[in-house]
Amino acid sequence: GEDVEQSLFLSVREGDSSVINCTYTDSSSTYLYWYKQEPGAGLQLLTYIFSNMDMKQDQRLTVLLNKKDKHLSLRIADTQTGDSAIYFCAVQGSQGNLIFGKGTKLSVKP
Amino acid sequence: DVKVTQSSRYLVKRTGEKVFLECVQDMDHENMFWYRQDPGLGLRLIYFSYDVKMKEKGDIPEGYSVSREKKERFSLILESASTNQTSMYLCASRDRGRIYEQYFGPGTRLTVT
């Protein structure tokens, strides 16, 4: 079945850029997603990218998709303490559901 | 704004009890999902529903059942709660014509003692 892998932790200093990486096994997903989960909260859709795109930019967020390597990344520019959260990469499964990675916990140090 | 609500934020039940977790969405979405989230395991799909009275098993349906009698409501049922079902349960919904936008509820943290 589909597998989505991401590193579990990332620590950056406030003002730096954060890059969270994700790899997946099945390239048939039409959309690929990044979700954010703040402590004690549900998941919030941060951004998504259509599979025929290489890049999508949305304010401080840049998503890069390398279909050949099955690699998705999320770059957060000028990272703030409010960006501290768990970030989940997700792809669509064959039944239309989402398949999530285990999540990357981003810690932002002042 | 899409709103997905779950009946409880925190729930404590005893082993063997029948547990109902309720999820309600107010955007007339056809598709609804139940996930559980555990540290180090991420989110795993339990059941989902394409529309009223429809249900499909996800990756970990054992020990769970679901009910979708009305479009806005999707219930997760633990027939006989066990300690290994202690987890965070997340409900989600989406419009079948906008599959790229899946909205999550705040979650129910269930503890089975």
Side-chain angles (χ1 to χ4, degrees):
Chain A
E2 177 71 74
D3 195 23
V4 180
E5 297 281 342
Q6 45 181 138
S7 53
L8 295 181
F9 301 99
L10 177 65
S11 181
V12 300
R13 290 205 176 276
E14 194 172 19
D16 287 351
S17 291
S18 309
V19 179
I20 303 171
N21 294 301
C22 170
T23 57
Y24 55 95
T25 53
D26 186 351
S27 58
S28 63
S29 183
T30 306
Y31 296 96
L32 300 97
Y33 307 82
W34 284 104
Y35 278 83
K36 176 183 180 182
Q37 186 180 37
E38 295 180 352
L43 272 70
Q44 170 195 354
L45 178 62
L46 208 51
T47 187
Y48 62 90
I49 187 167
F50 192 46
S51 59
N52 69 354
M53 296 170 67
D54 298 325
M55 185 180 86
K56 180 179 180 181
Q57 188 148 3
D58 184 1
Q59 299 183 333
R60 290 191 298 124
L61 306 178
T62 303
V63 178
L64 294 177
L65 174 60
N66 182 329
K67 285 194 74 174
K68 176 175 165 290
D69 294 340
K70 298 180 184 175
H71 184 267
L72 183 73
S73 68
L74 174 70
R75 179 176 179 270
I76 306 173
D78 188 25
T79 313
Q80 303 298 308
T81 53
D83 294 323
S84 293
I86 302 176
Y87 291 81
F88 290 92
C89 169
V91 302
Q92 268 171 276
S94 57
Q95 294 173 300
N97 57 298
L98 290 182
I99 299 170
F100 289 85
K102 292 181 173 49
T104 299
K105 184 173 183 178
L106 175 65
S107 299
V108 183
K109 297 178 182 175
Chain B
D1 266 1
V2 174
K3 196 154 189 182
V4 181
T5 57
Q6 295 182 230
S7 48
S8 307
R9 290 301 305 271
Y10 301 93
L11 208 53
V12 180
K13 295 291 182 180
R14 289 192 182 277
T15 302
E17 278 193 83
K18 190 168 186 176
V19 182
F20 292 85
L21 303 183
E22 305 284 347
C23 175
V24 176
Q25 48 91 8
D26 66 357
M27 285 302 290
D28 202 36
H29 286 171
E30 290 84 10
N31 303 160
M32 295 187 75
F33 305 82
W34 274 107
Y35 296 87
R36 64 177 279 177
Q37 181 181 15
D38 300 288
L41 295 177
L43 277 80
R44 293 178 291 168
L45 181 66
I46 305 171
Y47 267 97
F48 61 103
S49 169
Y50 286 125
D51 211 328
V52 179
K53 297 196 186 292
M54 296 174 72
K55 60 184 179 184
E56 299 286 339
K57 291 181 180 179
D59 299 318
I60 51 164
E62 297 78 18
Y64 302 94
S65 63
V66 290
S67 173
R68 184 106 181 262
E69 294 298 315
K70 291 186 178 181
K71 195 173 187 179
E72 67 270 19
R73 188 179 298 268
F74 191 35
S75 303
L76 180 69
I77 303 154
L78 286 66
E79 297 291 342
S80 176
S82 64
T83 53
N84 64 12
Q85 292 178 311
T86 292
S87 187
M88 170 72 93
Y89 290 88
L90 293 164
C91 173
S93 76
R94 73 177 182 204
D95 184 315
R96 68 179 173 196
R98 296 171 69 86
I99 61 171
Y100 43 85
E101 290 179 342
Q102 188 163 318
Y103 296 92
F104 281 81
T108 296
R109 184 164 292 283
L110 172 67
T111 302
V112 183
T113 61

